[in-house]
């Protein structure tokens, strides 16, 4: 019988992962048990993906507030530190900020506005328009911000992040001054020692700061790149991609795990005879249309993946073919014509027949699908098994 189902994404339940657990065995066993219980079989080019969170947990990649403070103090001098462009998140940044504040005497907290890098809003564009404020050029003090906009609660968490971050810094014994600006060079009017906390724009921010005369510049990716007093670390991303673990500890982004995905792939081949693709995924890349929040707090969607997941889709747009090349066909004739076009498609780079297909890397697309499937709450499915992703209309 002709197949009637295309891509299927399944969340796979597994044991709660602890430090030192054998992830290769757990992942393979969990997927195979799920397949047996649900009555399906593994296929070549299936994708098995593991959320970065459980990989970091198995690695024991954690760091304390004290470790963060010690590294910040060593790298930025321990006096007045400009902390610029943090995202507004109790999970992603608050514990990091606690460590940063513990490693400084004063924090000049410079927030981007009207929203942070991933879309958490401090003030609406409508309110900026009403106040005749230009976010590209205007620098606001805390007093001016409050005078113009008052208290602004996050629409989902109901937290006033300006107050929350200020209180947190003071709790750590540091003085705090809050500034609102979008040009990173503004911070140099307050201090020459800067910790830039943006994620995807950090390279440009550092370049601008160095070019404007900063004396010390670090990104979150420069903090905890090596162990501090036996802490975890991440050689490539530092504190980027970290999450709150406890009130005084963060879970860092996983360390090198390309060997893990290769070992899982090899184990599946040994157990099933099927060559599956494997990845470790972080945040997906999608935007909430109501809250306007981008799910992009991790520095990379794919932490590690097997070679078969490299590249971008090479797909035809079926509706383009139906409306243009084969506009005079219908029914079985149209089906056969489209199947023929797919079989003979070759490299579609620049082709009008591929317009409208998603121009993103496979790892970003698949990672987003995984992140949406697994969620971030209590589903208990940190492993995702995708089938049919690389199929097309002819298969």
């Amino acid at each position: 019988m002709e197949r009637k189902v295309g891509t299927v994404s399944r969340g796979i339940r597994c044991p709660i992962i602890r430090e030192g657990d054998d992830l290769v065995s757990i992942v393979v066993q969990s997927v195979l048990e799920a397949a047996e219980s649900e009555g399906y079989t593994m296929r070549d080019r299936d994708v098995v993906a593991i959320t970065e969170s459980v990989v970091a947990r198995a690695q024991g990649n954690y760091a304390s507030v004290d470790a963060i403070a010690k590294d910040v103090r060593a790298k930025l001098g321990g006096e007045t530190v400009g902390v610029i462009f943090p995202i507004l998140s109790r999970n992603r940044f608050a514990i990091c900020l606690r460590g940063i504040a513990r490693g400084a005497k004063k924090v000049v907290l410079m927030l981007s506005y009207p929203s942070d890098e991933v879309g958490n809003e401090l003030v609406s564009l409508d309110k900026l328009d009403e106040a005749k404020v230009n976010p590209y050029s205007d620098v606001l003090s805390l007093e001016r911000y409050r005078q113009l906009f008052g208290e602004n609660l996050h629409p989902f968490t109901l937290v006033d992040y300006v107050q929350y971050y200020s209180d947190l810094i003071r709790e750590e014994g540091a003085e705090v001054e809050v500034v609102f600006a979008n040009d990173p060079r503004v911070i140099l009017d307050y201090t020459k020692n800067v910790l830039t906390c943006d994620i995807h724009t950090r390279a440009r921010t550092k370049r601008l700061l160095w070019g404007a005369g900063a004396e010390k510049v670090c990104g979150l990716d420069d903090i905890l790149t090596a162990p501090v007093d036996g802490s975890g670390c991440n050689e490539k991303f530092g504190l980027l991609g970290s999450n709150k673990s406890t009130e005084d500890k963060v879970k860092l982004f996983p360390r090198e795990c390309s060997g893990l995905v290769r070992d899982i792939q090899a184990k599946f081949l040994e157990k099933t005879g099927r060559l599956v693709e494997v990845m470790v995924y972080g945040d997906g890349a999608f935007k909430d249309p109501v809250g306007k929040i981008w799910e992009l707090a991790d520095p990379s969607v794919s932490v590690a993946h097997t070679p078969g997941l490299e590249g971008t889709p090479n797909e035809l747009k079926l509706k383009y073919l139906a409306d243009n090349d084969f506009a005079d066909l219908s029914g079985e004739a149209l089906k056969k014509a489209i199947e023929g076009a797919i079989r003979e498609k070759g490299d579609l780079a620049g082709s009008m027949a591929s317009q409208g297909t998603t121009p993103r890397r496979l790892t970003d697309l698949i990672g987003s699908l995984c992140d949406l499937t697994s969620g971030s709450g209590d589903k208990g499915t940190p492993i995702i098994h995708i089938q049919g992703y690389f199929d097309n209309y002819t298969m």
Side-chain angles (χ1 to χ4, degrees):
M1 180 180 177
E2 182 182 16
R3 278 180 58 193
K4 294 296 183 181
V5 176
T7 301
V8 175
S9 180
R10 297 181 176 92
I12 306 299
R13 293 179 177 173
C14 72
I16 303 299
I17 305 299
R18 294 294 190 187
E19 181 176 351
D21 283 351
D22 181 355
L23 270 186
V24 175
S25 296
I26 290 172
V27 170
V28 173
Q29 182 177 344
S30 297
V31 171
L32 294 181
E33 287 178 352
E36 182 179 2
S37 70
E38 296 296 312
Y40 65 89
T41 58
M42 303 290 291
R43 304 185 203 139
D44 288 325
R45 298 223 76 188
D46 283 4
V47 178
V48 173
I50 310 98
T51 179
E52 58 82 21
S53 178
V54 298
V55 177
R57 195 181 306 147
Q59 292 176 343
N61 202 21
Y62 294 87
S64 69
V65 167
D66 282 337
I68 295 170
K70 186 171 183 178
D71 211 24
V72 167
R73 195 178 301 114
K75 291 174 178 174
L76 289 162
E79 297 295 325
T80 299
V81 176
V83 176
I84 71 173
F85 303 157
I87 64 172
L88 308 176
S89 171
R90 293 170 295 177
N91 175 45
R92 288 291 191 168
F93 188 69
I95 306 304
C96 295
L97 181 58
R98 191 175 293 281
I100 294 163
R102 195 174 292 183
K105 290 183 179 177
K106 178 179 179 179
V107 171
V108 181
L109 180 66
M110 193 171 92
L111 301 172
S112 56
Y113 75 99
S115 65
D116 69 8
E117 181 183 3
V118 297
N120 293 293
E121 197 171 77
L122 279 174
V123 59
S124 71
L125 284 170
D126 290 335
K127 287 185 178 180
L128 290 184
D129 292 341
E130 291 171 11
K132 295 182 171 53
V133 171
N134 183 346
Y136 297 103
S137 59
D138 292 349
V139 178
L140 305 178
S141 65
L142 175 60
E143 293 72 23
R144 184 60 174 158
Y145 169 82
R146 291 298 192 197
Q147 180 185 30
L148 290 172
F149 309 117
E151 180 185 61
N152 289 278
L153 302 182
H154 190 283
F156 294 143
T157 65
L158 302 180
V159 172
D160 178 346
Y161 276 97
V162 177
Q163 189 65 51
Y164 177 63
Y165 280 178
S166 298
D167 290 345
L168 189 153
I169 292 167
R170 292 189 189 97
E171 287 171 9
E172 293 302 323
E175 184 184 348
V176 60
E177 182 174 359
V178 181
V179 182
F180 302 82
N182 290 306
D183 183 340
R185 293 166 291 195
V186 168
I187 195 65
L188 300 180
D189 294 334
Y190 301 84
T191 177
K192 303 295 184 184
N193 304 320
V194 187
L195 177 60
T196 180
C197 302
D198 46 344
I199 305 162
H200 305 287
T201 56
R202 63 189 185 275
R204 175 179 182 269
T205 300
K206 291 179 186 179
R207 173 173 57 79
L208 290 174
L209 289 168
W210 284 122
E215 294 176 2
K216 295 177 182 177
V217 177
C218 289
L220 286 181
D221 57 330
D222 299 308
I223 306 298
L224 287 184
T225 52
V228 173
D229 296 335
S231 74
C233 69
N234 190 295
E235 294 83 353
K236 183 177 181 181
F237 294 121
L239 278 177
L240 284 179
S242 62
N243 293 85
K244 176 180 179 178
S245 174
T246 68
E247 291 300 327
D248 61 0
K249 185 169 67 173
V250 293
K251 177 195 65 61
L252 301 170
F253 213 50
R255 300 175 75 176
E256 168 60 34
C257 48
S258 57
L260 173 68
V261 297
R262 289 195 300 269
D263 289 346
I264 292 172
Q265 184 182 57
K267 193 75 169 179
F268 272 116
L269 186 62
E270 173 194 328
K271 292 279 189 179
T272 68
R274 300 296 186 180
L275 185 64
V276 305
E277 305 297 344
V278 183
M279 73 181 293
V280 176
Y281 67 94
D283 274 349
F286 45 84
K287 184 176 182 178
D288 178 81
V290 176
K292 303 179 181 64
I293 300 168
W294 286 96
E295 186 72 10
L296 279 170
D298 283 330
S300 176
V301 176
S302 174
V303 186
H305 54 269
T306 48
L309 297 179
E310 292 285 350
T312 57
N314 185 55
E315 299 174 350
L316 289 165
K317 196 74 170 179
L318 297 194
K319 65 182 182 183
Y320 179 89
L321 294 177
D323 291 345
N324 291 272
D325 296 37
F326 308 125
D328 57 336
L329 301 178
S330 62
E332 189 64 24
L334 175 59
K335 180 176 181 291
K336 288 183 177 180
I338 288 178
E339 288 176 346
I342 292 171
R343 292 190 182 98
E344 298 169 10
K345 64 185 176 182
D347 184 358
L348 296 173
S351 168
M352 287 296 291
S354 67
Q355 67 175 344
T357 56
T358 309
R360 287 164 57 187
R361 294 179 299 183
L362 288 167
T363 50
D364 294 334
L365 291 163
I366 294 170
S368 297
L369 174 59
C370 292
D371 195 18
L372 285 166
T373 302
S374 63
S376 57
D378 57 9
K379 290 183 174 63
T381 56
I383 302 167
I384 306 299
H385 182 198
I386 300 171
Q387 294 193 297
Y389 191 85
F390 295 101
D391 292 354
N392 58 48
Y393 191 58
T394 70
M395 298 176 175

